[in-house]
Amino acid sequence: MEKQAKKVPKLLRKTAGRSSCSIFQVPQSLMKIHSKAFQPQIVSIGPYHHGKVELEMIQEHKFRYLESILARASVGYDDFYNAIANMKAAIRECYPESTKIKYGGREFIEMMVLDGCFIIELFRKFRGERDDHNDPIFNVPWILHSIMTDLLMLENLVPSSVLHTLFGLSISSSSNVPEKKD
């Protein structure tokens, strides 16, 4: 019994009690009641559901959206990657469970860049700034609704600081940013 008391927690980090910790997993007691209500059905965002086979359909579209955002931005992928890499420790503190165990540094940063750029580009296109009118995400009626539902899932998030940083880079000195009309 004494050995158990000295055991250091591996999954729930000491930083879980800090205000920076904001993206939690749904408690198992709630998952047992109705697990589908808490699990994304079509797209994974962030580390909790990353790599699940049943969520792979949208993964190729994430890369397409990344290419789209990079085509408009005056900076390259390395700039996005480096900006998020500089924030890696703060990003990890947003998750109470140790994402370090599951994802190494490079994979974690690449996931944040890809998922963050996907969300930014999805909202841009949703606002009507579509350059591809054959985009299946917007042309197949059920896909967009499913993605929007998944983006509201508690475990399916990236920190807002990631979105803010990537969005800032995507428009910082881009000459293709449309002017707001009154």
Side-chain angles (χ1 to χ4, degrees):
M1 189 77 152
E2 193 173 311
K3 270 189 176 179
Q4 292 260 340
K6 292 181 181 181
K7 204 173 191 181
V8 177
K10 292 181 181 176
L11 296 178
L12 189 62
R13 300 177 330 156
K14 290 179 183 178
T15 58
R18 294 185 184 161
S19 61
S20 62
C21 187
S22 57
I23 303 174
F24 296 90
Q25 285 190 290
V26 174
Q28 287 301 309
S29 57
L30 291 176
M31 289 292 265
K32 287 179 184 176
I33 296 169
H34 189 41
S35 64
K36 288 199 181 235
F38 301 106
Q39 295 180 4
Q41 301 302 305
I42 191 169
V43 65
S44 67
I45 301 293
Y48 291 138
H49 299 281
H50 181 75
K52 288 187 176 177
V53 176
E54 62 272 19
L55 302 174
E56 285 296 312
M57 182 176 77
I58 298 299
Q59 203 66 21
E60 67 187 48
H61 295 286
K62 287 182 185 180
F63 286 101
R64 191 168 51 83
Y65 277 30
L66 176 63
E67 288 175 16
S68 180
I69 205 169
L70 288 172
R72 277 192 334 280
S74 60
V75 297
Y77 178 80
D78 289 343
D79 298 297
F80 284 87
Y81 181 90
N82 291 333
I84 299 304
N86 289 333
M87 302 167 52
K88 183 177 71 172
I91 294 168
R92 283 196 189 276
E93 282 191 14
C94 292
Y95 298 94
E97 295 81 11
S98 181
T99 54
K100 188 189 292 189
I101 294 170
K102 197 169 181 181
Y103 299 104
R106 183 163 191 80
E107 186 179 5
F108 184 77
I109 295 163
E110 288 171 349
M111 176 194 336
M112 290 293 134
V113 171
L114 184 64
D115 291 353
C117 285
F118 173 74
I119 292 169
I120 292 166
E121 193 66 5
L122 180 71
F123 287 159
R124 187 186 75 80
K125 290 173 182 280
F126 186 77
R127 241 180 49 187
E129 299 175 37
R130 283 187 247 157
D131 40 10
D132 178 6
H133 294 287
N134 294 318
D135 188 336
I137 288 177
F138 288 89
N139 290 337
V140 177
W142 63 271
I143 292 180
L144 185 60
H145 179 270
S146 295
I147 289 173
M148 293 302 185
T149 301
D150 283 355
L151 290 178
L152 297 173
M153 297 282 170
L154 294 174
E155 296 181 352
N156 216 29
L157 303 166
V158 294
S160 60
S161 59
V162 169
L163 297 175
H164 181 77
T165 299
L166 294 172
F167 181 72
L169 282 171
S170 74
I171 64 166
S172 62
S173 56
S174 175
S175 59
N176 296 330
V177 177
E179 290 183 25
K180 192 174 185 178
K181 297 178 183 176
D182 293 325

